[in-house]
Amino acid sequence: MTNRDSYINKTLRFLSRVKWKSLFWRLFLIFGILSFVTLASNLGFWIVYENSVHTNHPSEIPEADVAIIPGAAVYGKTPSPILMDRLACGLELYQAGKVKKILLSGDNGKSDYNELRPMLEYMLSHEVKPDDIFVDHAGFRTLDTLIRAKEVFLVTKAIFVSQSFFLPRAMYLGKELELELYGYECNLRTYKKETYYLFREFSARMLAWWDIQWDTPPKYLGKPYPIEGSGMSTWKGSIPVSIPK
């Protein structure tokens, strides 16, 4: 190998190292920016939450037009523990006279999966007046639930019923959507995947922030159906076989 060839090889090795170092620092910078934005946005969610009205005592929460109960997993016709606790807390608010109506919002987008039917059956079996129950079949995620509550059901003041680790995102979205929203914490037990949900919320809050920045619409909207009068015509395919008298 000539001196010239040796010099060229050394130069190429040097340039290769420079290239990889440059790529490393670029990736490091991108990762640093994303981490900062994630932490900053999550802090913003907590600030909104801490400055909002939220409690786990019905006596401490203001009255509102409606309790919004978002869906969660169901196993066949059985609500998951998370969903069961949301239903129990929503019922508690209704029985305490804190709300006049209940809005059940969940996923009914597939023929073999229906979160709304067991939710509706629970309320009816606990003697909630049929006229007071409204059903939103297109509450695929919290953003959809809240936009549809405002635009379809014309809700202006509501109590959002969920576990405390989900509520900061809901309260942030409510504030951005100009809904007067109160949070009712329904942590009635220790949940099996609670640690997982806490970590998942970091990315979910980032997505919520992004959705607000870009005015992401819900999957479906529809004609206005004011949250007053009877909600029975909103039940659609979730109507139980028999309605308790």
Side-chain angles (χ1 to χ4, degrees):
M1 178 182 294
T2 65
N3 289 337
R4 182 174 179 275
D5 292 336
S6 177
Y7 175 77
I8 290 173
N9 286 336
K10 288 180 180 179
T11 301
L12 291 174
R13 286 197 297 270
F14 171 76
L15 291 175
S16 178
R17 289 196 297 271
V18 170
K19 179 181 178 180
W20 282 109
K21 285 181 179 179
S22 176
L23 179 61
F24 170 80
W25 284 111
R26 288 179 183 177
L27 292 174
F28 181 80
L29 180 61
I30 292 171
F31 177 77
I33 292 173
L34 290 176
S35 298
F36 174 79
V37 171
T38 300
L39 292 173
S41 61
N42 271 272
L43 178 60
F45 278 70
W46 277 106
I47 290 173
V48 169
Y49 185 54
E50 288 303 313
N51 286 287
S52 68
V53 176
H54 60 277
T55 181
N56 58 359
H57 299 290
S59 60
E60 297 176 357
I61 202 159
E63 293 183 7
D65 303 322
V66 59
I68 299 175
I69 305 177
V74 295
Y75 309 117
K77 295 182 179 180
T78 304
S80 61
I82 281 181
L83 182 54
M84 183 63 75
D85 290 351
R86 292 177 184 178
L87 293 168
C89 288
L91 178 65
E92 182 180 34
L93 292 172
Y94 178 81
Q95 292 175 335
K98 291 294 181 176
V99 296
K100 298 180 178 66
K101 304 291 183 179
I102 292 176
L103 174 58
L104 306 173
S105 180
D107 186 350
N108 185 205
K110 297 179 181 177
S111 59
D112 60 344
Y113 184 75
N114 188 337
E115 294 176 355
L116 280 307
R117 184 171 183 123
M119 294 171 73
L120 178 56
E121 290 179 332
Y122 177 94
M123 290 300 169
L124 291 172
S125 67
H126 287 82
E127 300 181 348
V128 177
K129 294 178 182 178
D131 287 343
D132 293 341
I133 308 171
F134 288 71
V135 174
D136 176 9
H137 294 260
F140 300 115
R141 55 190 186 128
T142 304
L143 179 70
D144 294 52
T145 292
L146 290 176
I147 292 179
R148 286 176 56 81
K150 180 181 179 181
E151 301 296 336
V152 175
F153 297 96
L154 306 184
V155 172
T156 57
K157 182 166 64 173
I159 301 174
F160 194 88
V161 183
S162 189
Q163 283 70 25
S164 59
F165 38 87
F166 296 123
L167 275 175
R169 177 159 50 94
M171 301 305 288
Y172 169 84
L173 289 170
K175 179 177 180 294
E176 293 296 323
L177 296 171
E178 298 181 347
L179 271 170
E180 187 174 347
L181 203 63
Y182 310 130
Y184 193 59
E185 301 169 342
C186 58
N187 300 57
L188 303 186
R189 68 187 90 189
T190 299
Y191 301 100
K192 187 176 180 181
K193 295 183 178 180
E194 190 164 331
T195 302
Y196 163 75
Y197 293 130
L198 288 169
F199 279 103
R200 192 186 72 171
E201 277 299 293
F202 276 95
S203 58
R205 290 172 195 154
M206 276 299 298
L207 178 59
W209 177 83
W210 181 266
D211 286 334
I212 290 297
Q213 305 310 309
W214 291 95
D215 294 323
T216 303
K219 189 171 183 179
Y220 301 109
L221 254 178
K223 297 179 180 179
Y225 198 103
I227 197 89
E228 55 189 31
S230 174
M232 291 180 66
S233 60
T234 66
W235 295 3
K236 301 178 184 176
S238 293
I239 300 174
V241 175
S242 60
I243 299 174
K245 299 297 183 181

